[in-house]
Structures are given as structure tokens and as C-alpha cells.
């Protein structure tokens, strides 16, 4: 078992990483016998894993109510929030309740946002079940739901009480979702750590094969990198923005095609390539480095180009509404080398147009 501590003063919490964690006593800090909690998950996960969680709470003598949502990014909306709030009120949950998110990034975001606004804020615990949420989404306290005009436009910063990362959940995760999560891992390597990128080039298939050692190291590394940045910039006012590498283009794709039609990691993978090519066009990034990124992304089966029917106008429309934009100027995170990125404000429209309208000339 590995522990990463996120140091945020009174809002500090632990990220616990291991296998079969739900068989250990007192893992759900700060819950104790006699407390009240609300489990929030989706229908697919409820059929596979809910009984394991419910059994733990029953044995610990913690009252557990449940909200079971439909599965998919398209349900990450205010209607789901309304359903959760109504259930909390119906079962008389007070300000001392704790929400428990059992799911991927969608469930984690919905649960965290519900916790942030219910009675002006209650505790919540993250139990991320997807690879993407274990390496990224469950950490850092960003909570949100989508609007029809933009992804994650309605939300707040609300830190969890703890994050419990049990790798046993990956055993039932569809391979497409596991591979999707690797886009966020590659993102971390491009931003922070060239040696980690090299490690991925050599070990990425071990992760896909669920080699326990590789999985544990990868999750621990990503959690450690993200926690340090969250500590420096909890509310995403400056430094933390670098974690959005690939997301300006990626969120535009998700918004255009409709939430859930592309997995988040698939859109981010394309965004990473487009960010590299943008930096290359600006003379800030070496074409050989772009090729290394493309090769690694293709190696695991993720896309390197956006939807064929998505025009430049659609990209630009959604990119202008990106949360990082300032004074209607598009702000992007761009790599200057593998292991280092910079924030660029006011990337010209013709540069973005070139990236979108010119296909990759990548060759092995």
C-alpha cells in the first residue's frame, strides 16, 4: 500500500493506493460507526462492485443510502445533481453526512459537486474505479457538470476527505477505457518528467496487461506529480493550468461530437498531438519530439487526429469558451520539450487553423 498526502492545511487528505483495500478496517476515514453516508455510483458499477462496498459499511455499522445513476458522460449534468440532492433530503441527510463516489471521472465530478453545494458543503470520499480517474480526475478537488455549450462549465473546487485507489477495480474495466486513461498519464510525462515518458515508452504494454508493479508505479507517480501542483495552486489560478495540456482541443472535440461519443482520454490524446503541432508551428517544439508523442499514442491504439467531419469553425467556437481563455484570447498549454510546458496566451487563429486543417505527416 502506498500513501500520497495532499497538504492543504485544514483541507489536507490522503490518497491511498493498493489492492483489495476494501478488505481493510477503517479505510474510509473519517467515517466511523454510527455515521451516515450516501453512496453514489452508476448502474454498471452497481451490478459489479456495489455489494462489496455495502458489505463494508454494514460491517462498520455506518448507515448507507444509495443513488444509482445512468452510466455515461451525457448524464454529467444538473439533472443528476437534482436527483442526488433530492435523495439526500428525502433520507434526511444533514451537514455531517458523507457522500461516497464509487465510479470514474463522471461519478467523481457529480458527487464532488453535489457535496460542495449540499447545505453549503459536506464531506465526500473518492473511490475511483477507472484508470483515468485513478491517475487524474479523483485528485485535486475539481468538481463540475457539463453544459450543452461547454464541458465542466458548472462546478466548484471542493477537496475530498480521502481518495481510495483500489487497483482491483481495473480487472473489470473495459480495455478501451483503460487505454483512454493512458492519455492522461502521457500528459503528465510531457508536462513534468522526460524520464517518466521514457519509462512509458518501454512499459506501456505492461500497464495495459495490468501488471501490478507497473500499474502501482504509474498511479503513484501521477498522484505524486498532481498532488504537488495542487498544493501550489489549489484553485487553478496559475500553475495548475498546465494540467490542461491537450484539453483545449480535446474539450472542443467532446463538446462537438456530443458527450460520451468520444471517451475523454481519446479526445485528450488528439489534443496532445495538436498541442505539440501548435508548438512546433510556433517554432517552440522539435518535430522529432512530436513524432515521439505520436508514436507512443498510436502504439497504445489512441487516435491522433480529430473527427473527420469537424470543421475549424467548430473547434474555434468551443475553444473560445474554454475556461482558460482570458479577455476572449485563447490560452493554451504547449510543450517546449518533453518534460516542460509553457502557458501561451493569444495563439493566433491562423496557427490553430493550420493545425486543424493540415493532417499529420507522421511516419514510423
Amino acid at each position: 500500500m502506498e500513501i500520497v498526502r495532499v497538504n492543504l492545511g485544514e483541507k489536507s487528505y490522503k490518497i491511498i493506493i493498493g489492492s483489495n483495500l476494501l478488505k481493510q478496517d477503517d479505510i474510509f476515514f473519517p467515517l466511523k460507526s454510527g455515521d451516515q453516508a450516501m453512496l453514489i455510483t452508476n448502474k454498471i458499477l452497481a451490478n459489479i462492485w456495489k455489494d462489496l462496498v455495502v458489505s463494508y459499511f454494514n460491517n462498520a455499522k455506518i448507515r448507507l443510502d444509495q443513488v444509482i445513476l445512468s452510466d455515461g458522460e451525457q448524464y454529467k449534468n444538473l439533472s443528476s445533481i437534482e436527483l442526488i440532492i433530492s435523495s439526500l433530503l428525502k433520507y434526511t441527510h444533514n451537514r455531517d453526512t458523507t457522500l461516497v463516489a464509487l465510479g470514474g471521472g463522471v461519478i467523481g465530478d457529480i458527487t464532488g459537486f453535489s457535496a460542495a453545494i449540499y447545505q453549503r458543503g459536506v464531506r465526500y470520499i473518492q473511490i475511483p474505479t477507472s484508470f483515468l480517474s485513478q491517475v487524474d480526475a479523483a485528485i485535486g478537488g475539481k468538481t463540475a457538470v457539463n453544459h450543452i455549450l461547454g464541458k465542466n462549465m458548472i462546478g466548484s473546487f471542493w477537496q475530498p476527505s480521502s481518495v481510495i485507489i483500489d487497483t482491483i477495480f481495473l480487472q473489470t474495466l473495459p480495455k478501451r477505457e483503460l487505454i483512454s486513461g493512458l492519455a492522461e498519464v502521457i500528459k503528465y510525462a510531457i508536462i513534468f518528467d522526460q524520464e517518466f515518458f521514457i519509462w512509458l515508452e518501454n512499459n506501456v504494454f505492461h500497464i495495459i496487461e495490468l501488471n501490478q508493479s507497473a500499474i502501482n508505479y504509474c498511479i503513484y507517480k501521477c498522484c505524486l506529480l498532481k498532488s504537488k501542483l495542487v498544493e501550489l495552486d489549489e484553485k487553478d489560478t496559475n500553475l495548475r493550468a498546465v494540467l490542461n495540456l491537450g484539453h483545449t482541443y480535446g474539450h472542443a472535440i467532446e463538446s462537438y461530437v456530443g458527450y460520451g461519443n468520444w471517451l475523454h482520454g481519446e479526445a485528450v490524446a488528439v489534443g496532445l498531438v495538436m498541442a505539440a503541432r501548435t508548438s512546433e508551428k510556433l517554432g517552440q517544439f522539435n518535430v522529432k519530439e512530436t513524432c515521439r508523442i505520436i508514436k507512443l499514442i498510436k502504439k497504445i491504439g489512441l487516435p491522433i487526429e480529430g473527427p473527420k467531419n469537424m470543421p475549424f469553425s467548430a473547434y474555434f467556437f468551443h475553444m473560445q469558451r474554454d475556461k482558460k481563455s482570458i479577455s476572449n484570447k485563447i490560452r493554451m498549454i504547449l510543450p517546449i520539450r518533453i518534460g516542460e510546458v509553457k502557458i501561451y496566451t493569444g495563439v493566433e487563429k491562423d496557427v490553430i487553423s493550420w493545425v486543424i486543417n493540415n493532417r499529420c505527416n507522421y511516419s514510423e
Side-chain angles (χ1 to χ4, degrees), residues 26-238:
D26 300 322
I27 200 73
F28 283 99
F29 178 83
L31 285 168
K32 60 186 182 303
S33 178
D35 283 349
Q36 184 180 30
M38 175 72 80
L39 175 68
I40 299 165
T41 189
N42 65 43
K43 292 177 180 177
I44 292 175
L45 287 166
N47 289 333
I48 305 171
W49 295 111
K50 187 187 73 170
D51 289 348
L52 179 65
V53 178
V54 170
S55 176
Y56 182 100
F57 279 85
N58 287 342
N59 292 335
K61 295 181 172 55
I62 298 167
R63 174 187 157 189
L64 185 69
D65 297 307
Q66 303 171 26
V67 174
I68 312 296
L69 302 173
S70 297
D71 178 52
E73 182 83 22
Q74 62 269 37
Y75 298 104
K76 186 178 159 180
N77 54 34
L78 289 173
S79 296
S80 294
I81 300 296
E82 175 71 21
L83 180 60
I84 292 168
I85 299 297
S86 296
S87 297
L88 289 165
L89 291 170
K90 178 181 177 181
Y91 295 108
T92 61
H93 284 250
N94 300 314
R95 293 190 71 183
D96 60 352
T97 192
T98 301
L99 309 191
V100 180
L102 176 67
V106 171
I107 289 293
D109 265 14
I110 292 172
T111 304
F113 187 44
S114 299
I117 63 174
Y118 184 65
Q119 298 194 14
R120 297 191 176 93
V122 298
R123 298 178 307 200
Y124 78 109
I125 294 171
Q126 290 269 24
I127 313 176
T129 59
S130 72
F131 190 51
L132 189 149
S133 60
Q134 291 184 349
V135 298
D136 185 74
I139 304 136
K142 276 190 177 183
T143 74
V145 293
N146 300 328
H147 186 276
I148 191 171
L149 293 178
K151 186 177 170 70
N152 294 331
M153 286 295 165
I154 309 163
S156 67
F157 289 91
W158 194 250
Q159 298 296 338
S161 298
S162 63
V163 180
I164 301 164
I165 300 178
D166 196 329
T167 58
I168 193 174
F169 295 121
L170 300 180
Q171 294 177 6
T172 58
L173 187 70
K175 188 174 182 180
R176 181 187 173 195
E177 291 193 25
L178 178 67
I179 290 171
S180 170
L182 277 166
E184 294 286 2
V185 177
I186 294 170
K187 175 196 78 174
Y188 278 108
I190 296 171
I191 296 170
F192 294 115
D193 195 328
Q194 185 179 48
E195 291 301 316
F196 186 38
F197 190 91
I198 295 169
W199 183 87
L200 287 171
E201 288 177 316
N202 295 323
N203 291 277
V204 70
F205 286 130
H206 294 313
I207 297 171
I208 295 172
E209 293 163 359
L210 296 183
N211 174 279
Q212 195 64 53
S213 177
I215 286 284
N216 285 356
Y217 172 74
C218 184
I219 294 172
Y220 176 79
K221 181 73 172 180
C222 291
C223 289
L224 190 63
L225 290 170
K226 184 166 188 177
S227 66
K228 297 305 178 187
L229 202 56
V230 170
E231 290 169 0
L232 294 171
D233 183 19
E234 181 191 356
K235 297 294 180 69
D236 202 2
T237 58
N238 186 15

